[in-house]
Amino acid sequence: MKIAVIGQSLFGQEVYCHLREEGHEVVGVFTVPDKDGKADPLGLKADEDGVPVFKFPRWRARGQALPNVVAAYQALGAELNVLPFCSQLIPTEIISAPRHGSIIYHPSLLPRHRGASAINWTLIHGDKKGGFTIFWADDGLDTGDLLLQKECEIFPDDTVSTLYSRFLFPEGIKGMVQAVKLIAEGRAPRLPQPEDGATYEGIQKKETAQINWEQPAEAIHNWIRGNDKVPGAWTEACGQKLTFFGSTLSTEGLVPEGETLPIPGARRPGVVTEAGLILFGNDDRMLLVKNIQLEDGKMIPASQFFRGADSTGLELTEEDLVMAEAVRGAWKRILPSVLEVEDSTDFFKSGAASVDVVRLVEEVKELCDGLELENEDIYMAAAFGDFIQLLVRKMRGDNTESKCVIDHVEKTVNKLTLRMPHQLFIGGAFVDAEGAKTYETINPTDGSVICQVSLAQVSDVDQAVAAAKDAFEHGLWGKISARDRGRLLYRLADLMEKHQEELATIEALDAGAVYTLALKTHVGMSVQTFRYFAGWCDKIQGATIPINQARPHRNLTMTRKEPIGVCGIVIPWNYPLMMLSWKTAACLAAGNTVVIKPAQVTPLTALKLAELTLKAGIPKGVINVLPGSGSVVGQRLSDHPDVRKIAFTGSTEVGKHIMKSCAVSNVKKVSLELGGKSPLIIFADCDLRKAVQMGMSSVFFNKGENCIAAGRLFVEDSIHDQFVQRVVEEVGKMKIGSPLNRDTTHGPQNHEAHLRKLVEYCQRGVKEGATLVCGGNQVPRPGFFFEPTVFTDVEDHMFIAQEESFGPVMIISRFANGDVDAVLSRANATEFGLASGVFTRDISKALYVSDKLEAGTVFVNTYNKTDVAAPFGGFKQSGFGKDLGEAALNEYLRVKTVTFEY
């Protein structure tokens, strides 16, 4: 079909391009004249394609169509006029000339919001549904017959820009192409517009956009967002005209404390806070404004209104200066009327329009290694010098410009003031769970409530996954270089180290971890893990592979290691921060995004880490943290179609359930670290002193709440009694007490339900005939303390010989002198295979035993010696997949094979 395209802007350009791709012949393009030496994008593209372009400043005079315009149009022989976006008034003679008439795009659901500011009024009226209409063009009053309509949901914080970018622009282009197809096929309807519900609103202009404060907060919010960005809702305050942008009604957790901003006509003064400017409606409800434009045109964060201009700038490196000159060239191309772009050159005062904002965003993406800006960034840094500072900050990962509102719980503990987040962390913000649901997290030292923590629901999981998916597919995380990704992880590790005392204290408070151990292991190894994997970021490589050549051609085959996508990580309660770090650091190093479910009973260090990721500059959505139950959060992550990997540490029973859910949902990749019953074999030729020392550590380390704890000790008969005697002596020296006391060696068990299981476990051992040498009971004091326990005479058939206690319970069995193969058979007679150990001075025996033990880790003359560089994971029903070391990266990567022929 022969089509004349009449209109302008990027929208018009895209419609034009799509129509040509569909095989239609565009016989001419009519657009607006050049402005400040710049051609409109539609005309520019058509000119490149050799399509006739007409730029009439007007189409008629004194109510009559200009003859030269009509003649130029008629000479084209168009069969249909397509008006994607047109600001000019087109004469009826042109509208009705083609055989098929004319169709026009309108950004509202007609007959509602007729007029040129339809998008503005859709938001100002608080409509819940919006959309666009393609109708048969009429006399310019938007009353023509309907051809096609599409609708969308209006989100509470949508602005003109977000609604246009999210739906009206991309779907509108498709709609225009679809409408032309219906016309070409003779199936296009002509439905008269109903008058019921029809509205017509005038063009929104700056002079009519003043805020009326005698309205509820929601109406004020709608007015501000309905005028955001053009023309801008404004008010008089502090002797000048202030224009507000970035309004939201999401004010949960905000406290109106800060410097007041008197506003004439408002019932209450505004309050400038760290989050922005809090405003009030006449119903006393709050709304928050994030940005303010001053009367001189400068845009600032609302939180900085009373601070004045920040005169401190970043010192630019040589690399930064090269980038700045490249960007300066882009400004010159966009602003041809500006002779020289200086630091003070203002993008908008130099003639840039909204279409130029889009172009600058795309230019920066090409010049700065995929750095993705928001349109908002350009409005906030309109002067060239400010713009360069903004780019450098973003490229360095500095997010000092934007501050997340955090509702901390504060406690003075361990000579520190702890500031602990307690809400869900989704998309870079701390938010309440759906329905504001919470639960209590308990201090195991005394059973007291630490604080209320948000309890994630299914809808919260969906939001977190959506945020992670958006960050992976569209965000900065996937666009920055691997080296820059590593730099951000190094920065996070540095921040964790800086806050190590606070993190260790939270572990002691929330998990009962002995503070000195938490400082060295829980936190110390977490820092090491992030540093180790930060170093791997730019060393993840594929390979080139020689293959048979397809003669007479030649072939080249290579592999690429790529991130999987959104990963779900489910963390146990015994090492809340360390287990999180083992999995998350490798996951992020590989380039994935993540939704973390910490154990419900120990959520606080995970949430504190989330806060540190903001300070580290890790982009929003990359890391999300959802405290909650496994049956809700863990299950939804396993079932979610957009999650591509689950990493789980926990019980074998739950691991099997997760594996099944992952298979049924979308065949997710899975790695599992499950239960254990790790054997430790102590031969008579060992260093007995060391064997006792390490045997104690193998069982009682971290109160026995240790994945690789020695679940059963096999001691050679000739040293059995001496070994038991020395162990009992050492147990008597253990200091039970508050985990925050520096001389404590044994703190409380993690939670009350676990304490009850340990009591039942020991009672069953006694009932089955094992000898309880010491311990076996709850310590008679507040909190969840359990005595270090030793059982001997444990036979292979007993429950305590087969099942792990996951607590401070040493299970000792004898084996006959010299019978190596028999004890190996007993040690391997379990469905678990996480870890194992052997003590002997005989190197040949050590090598033989380590070869025969069926476990993912074998310790020889040591125990619990894990390292960030050494892979860790189990065999059999202890799971599969690895944490730590280079092997861990493969759990979060997929391998793509690419073959070329030349």
Side-chain angles (χ1 to χ4, degrees):
M1 192 157 48
K2 293 183 176 181
I3 295 173
V5 177
I6 305 173
Q8 63 207 72
S9 78
L10 282 175
F11 184 76
Q13 181 195 79
E14 287 294 317
V15 171
Y16 158 84
C17 291
H18 280 73
L19 290 176
R20 282 170 54 90
E21 288 172 6
E22 291 291 313
H24 299 291
E25 181 186 357
V26 178
V27 294
V29 165
F30 296 83
T31 188
V32 293
D34 295 355
K35 182 179 181 182
D36 296 326
K38 292 187 298 179
D40 182 81
L42 170 58
L44 198 63
K45 179 60 178 169
D47 203 37
E48 289 176 4
D49 294 337
V51 174
V53 177
F54 304 89
K55 301 179 181 181
F56 299 122
R58 56 180 181 167
W59 291 68
R60 58 185 183 178
R62 298 176 183 173
Q64 299 296 317
L66 296 173
N68 64 314
V69 174
V70 174
Y73 170 81
Q74 289 177 340
L76 299 174
E79 299 172 297
L80 174 70
N81 291 334
V82 174
L83 287 73
F85 171 69
C86 183
S87 61
Q88 295 177 306
L89 192 59
I90 311 302
T92 304
E93 293 91 331
I94 303 296
I95 292 294
S96 58
R99 178 162 62 94
H100 294 295
S102 302
I103 60 171
I104 189 167
Y105 170 91
H106 186 80
S108 79
L109 297 173
L110 292 175
R112 190 163 174 78
H113 305 308
R114 293 168 177 164
S117 296
I119 311 178
N120 304 78
W121 290 103
T122 298
L123 298 172
I124 290 169
H125 283 279
D127 293 358
K128 303 303 181 186
K129 295 287 183 182
F132 63 84
T133 302
I134 297 170
F135 67 98
W136 298 95
D138 57 356
D139 56 5
L141 297 178
D142 302 333
T143 55
D145 292 344
L146 305 180
L147 191 161
L148 180 150
Q149 286 187 317
K150 289 189 179 181
E151 71 172 36
C152 68
E153 182 182 358
I154 305 293
F155 298 151
D157 288 344
D158 262 333
T159 64
V160 174
S161 296
T162 62
L163 180 57
Y164 184 70
S165 300
R166 174 170 57 83
F167 184 82
L168 297 176
F169 182 89
E171 294 302 320
I173 293 165
K174 297 176 187 176
M176 289 297 284
V177 175
Q178 182 183 352
V180 172
K181 183 178 180 180
L182 290 172
I183 294 169
E185 294 173 350
R187 299 188 296 116
R190 288 178 177 267
L191 306 174
Q193 282 194 41
E195 284 304 311
D196 185 31
T199 62
Y200 180 89
E201 295 97 355
I203 298 176
Q204 271 300 88
K205 299 179 180 179
K206 192 71 175 183
E207 57 266 27
T208 62
Q210 185 173 7
I211 299 170
N212 172 17
W213 294 103
E214 284 301 319
Q215 302 180 87
E218 184 174 1
I220 296 172
H221 164 68
N222 287 336
W223 183 261
I224 294 172
R225 71 186 182 124
N227 287 281
D228 185 345
K229 285 287 186 288
V230 178
W234 60 275
T235 191
E236 295 280 355
C238 290
Q240 64 174 313
K241 185 182 290 185
L242 302 180
T243 306
F244 297 148
F245 300 99
S247 174
T248 179
L249 290 172
S250 299
T251 57
E252 295 86 358
L254 281 182
V255 178
E257 294 179 353
E259 195 164 353
T260 57
L261 175 64
I263 300 174
R267 179 167 294 193
R268 293 173 59 179
V271 181
V272 176
T273 71
E274 288 294 328
L277 172 62
I278 295 177
L279 301 171
F280 298 89
N282 63 5
D283 56 355
D284 282 331
R285 285 188 61 203
M286 296 190 299
L287 62 144
L288 180 72
V289 165
K290 297 177 181 177
N291 300 313
I292 298 176
Q293 187 177 40
L294 306 178
E295 196 159 13
D296 63 4
K298 183 176 177 61
M299 187 91 76
I300 62 169
S303 60
Q304 297 180 10
F305 181 74
F306 287 115
R307 298 180 190 174
D310 184 3
S311 59
T312 61
L314 297 174
E315 184 175 341
L316 303 188
T317 65
E318 188 173 335
E319 186 178 350
D320 295 332
L321 292 170
V322 171
M323 177 275 295
E325 287 308 306
V327 174
R328 193 187 306 272
W331 278 50
K332 288 179 179 178
R333 290 190 294 273
I334 296 171
L335 306 171
S337 62
V338 177
L339 297 178
E340 191 63 41
V341 174
E342 300 175 342
D343 283 356
S344 59
T345 301
D346 188 286
F347 192 66
F348 298 103
K349 291 179 180 178
S350 299
S354 58
V355 66
D356 299 312
V357 172
V358 177
R359 180 178 170 186
L360 182 56
V361 167
E362 293 303 313
E363 291 251 19
V364 166
K365 189 186 296 184
E366 290 186 11
L367 295 170
C368 302
D369 295 327
L371 179 64
E372 194 156 315
L373 298 181
E374 302 289 340
N375 292 1
E376 183 78 17
D377 293 323
I378 299 171
Y379 288 102
M380 294 294 292
F384 181 76
D386 294 338
F387 186 70
I388 294 300
Q389 289 280 317
L390 177 140
L391 291 185
V392 172
R393 281 195 174 92
K394 284 185 173 289
M395 292 175 74
R396 294 181 184 179
D398 294 339
N399 278 347
T400 53
E401 300 295 330
S402 58
K403 292 192 176 181
C404 175
V405 179
I406 305 176
D407 180 24
H408 290 102
V409 172
E410 292 194 3
K411 287 188 177 294
T412 302
V413 181
N414 199 26
K415 298 181 181 179
L416 297 170
T417 299
L418 305 180
R419 304 185 76 240
M420 299 176 288
H422 61 98
Q423 297 167 290
L424 313 181
F425 185 67
I426 300 175
F430 285 96
V431 296
D432 287 338
E434 179 196 352
K437 293 184 178 179
T438 62
Y439 70 97
E440 296 175 345
T441 187
I442 305 298
N443 182 348
T445 301
D446 58 12
S448 63
V449 176
I450 301 171
C451 64
Q452 295 286 329
V453 177
S454 293
L455 182 68
Q457 306 299 303
V458 169
S459 62
D460 300 312
V461 179
D462 291 344
Q463 288 183 37
V465 172
K469 184 181 180 185
D470 184 65
F472 180 77
E473 294 180 350
H474 307 296
L476 181 61
W477 188 245
K479 297 178 176 64
I480 60 176
S481 69
R483 195 159 296 165
D484 285 338
R485 188 163 68 242
R487 182 172 48 79
L488 291 175
L489 295 185
Y490 276 124
R491 183 175 295 159
L492 177 59
D494 290 344
L495 283 166
M496 292 169 68
E497 188 170 57
K498 182 179 178 181
H499 290 262
Q500 61 182 334
E501 293 182 352
E502 184 178 15
L503 289 166
T505 303
I506 296 173
E507 289 281 73
L509 197 67
D510 200 28
V514 173
Y515 173 75
T516 50
L517 176 66
L519 202 59
K520 177 180 181 295
T521 302
H522 291 236
V523 180
M525 195 172 187
S526 298
V527 173
Q528 292 174 27
T529 303
F530 271 100
R531 285 203 175 120
Y532 174 80
F533 283 108
W536 266 110
C537 288
D538 61 355
K539 301 172 188 67
I540 299 171
Q541 302 165 350
T544 55
I545 303 170
I547 65 170
N548 290 336
Q549 307 294 333
R551 296 177 179 176
H553 302 292
R554 297 180 64 81
N555 296 96
L556 170 67
T557 293
M558 67 179 189
T559 58
R560 291 170 51 89
K561 291 185 177 180
E562 300 178 342
I564 296 171
V566 178
C567 299
I569 291 180
V570 183
I571 304 302
W573 43 258
N574 57 326
Y575 293 104
L577 183 62
M578 192 173 79
M579 291 292 100
L580 181 156
S581 300
W582 281 20
K583 298 182 190 301
T584 304
C587 176
L588 297 179
N592 301 285
T593 58
V594 65
V595 179
I596 299 167
K597 193 207 90 64
Q600 186 170 351
V601 293
T602 53
L604 296 181
T605 44
L607 293 171
K608 187 65 183 180
L609 180 73
E611 179 184 353
L612 296 182
T613 67
L614 292 175
K615 294 182 179 181
I618 292 176
K620 62 182 182 181
V622 172
I623 297 175
N624 305 271
V625 181
L626 300 179
S629 69
S631 60
V632 174
V633 180
Q635 185 65 58
R636 180 55 180 157
L637 284 173
S638 300
D639 292 338
H640 202 293
D642 291 331
V643 175
R644 294 296 172 186
K645 160 72 193 267
I646 292 289
F648 170 74
T649 294
S651 72
T652 299
E653 179 185 4
V654 174
K656 290 178 178 179
H657 181 78
I658 286 175
M659 195 172 175
K660 181 178 179 181
S661 296
C662 289
V664 171
S665 58
N666 60 346
V667 197
K668 291 176 179 66
K669 190 171 184 177
V670 185
S671 56
L672 304 171
E673 188 220 307
L674 307 177
K677 187 67 175 174
S678 302
L680 173 57
I681 303 173
I682 301 175
F683 289 99
D685 62 356
C686 70
D687 177 341
L688 187 59
R689 181 197 61 78
K690 187 174 183 181
V692 170
Q693 175 193 352
M694 288 295 175
M696 291 284 294
S697 174
S698 75
V699 174
F700 300 119
F701 188 82
N702 198 47
K703 311 162 291 175
E705 295 168 352
N706 189 19
C707 310
I708 57 174
R712 191 176 181 191
L713 278 67
F714 295 92
V715 183
E716 197 161 6
D717 192 63
S718 61
I719 62 167
H720 174 275
D721 293 347
Q722 187 180 4
F723 179 85
V724 172
Q725 178 186 349
R726 291 196 185 186
V727 163
V728 172
E729 290 173 358
E730 292 301 316
V731 168
K733 298 175 185 177
M734 293 175 68
K735 174 66 183 298
I736 300 173
S738 167
L740 291 172
N741 292 342
R742 300 306 189 263
D743 60 347
T744 293
T745 56
H746 187 76
Q749 304 309 134
N750 187 277
H751 52 280
E752 187 174 14
H754 181 52
L755 173 67
R756 299 285 163 250
K757 286 183 179 179
L758 289 174
V759 172
E760 294 171 3
Y761 184 90
C762 291
Q763 290 173 346
R764 186 160 180 178
V766 171
K767 186 177 180 180
E768 290 187 342
T771 300
L772 179 62
V773 179
C774 62
N777 297 297
Q778 180 177 356
V779 178
R781 57 173 289 167
F784 311 140
F785 292 85
F786 190 77
E787 296 172 338
T789 300
V790 177
F791 277 101
T792 61
D793 302 319
V794 179
E795 302 294 334
D796 293 354
H797 68 276
M798 293 179 179
F799 176 81
I800 62 173
Q802 298 173 4
E803 300 295 331
E804 71 174 329
S805 66
F806 213 66
V809 182
M810 182 179 285
I811 308 296
I812 303 177
S813 298
R814 296 174 182 264
F815 70 93
N817 292 331
D819 202 344
V820 176
D821 288 328
V823 74
L824 276 171
S825 178
R826 295 171 69 190
N828 287 329
T830 172
E831 274 301 299
F832 301 112
L834 188 57
S836 60
V838 55
F839 277 83
T840 177
R841 286 192 174 97
D842 185 336
I843 187 64
S844 296
K845 187 187 296 181
L847 288 169
Y848 178 78
V849 171
S850 64
D851 182 53
K852 295 296 183 181
L853 283 169
E854 298 171 0
T857 296
V858 180
F859 297 109
V860 180
N861 294 328
T862 187
Y863 209 88
N864 287 326
K865 180 55 181 171
T866 55
D867 188 88
V868 294
F872 177 91
F875 294 170
K876 299 187 284 189
Q877 291 197 44
S878 287
F880 52 84
K882 296 295 181 183
D883 291 324
L884 304 179
E886 182 182 0
L889 291 168
N890 295 325
E891 304 297 331
Y892 302 96
L893 292 166
R894 62 187 184 188
V895 177
K896 176 184 289 182
T897 301
V898 182
T899 298
F900 297 85
E901 187 163 288
Y902 57 97

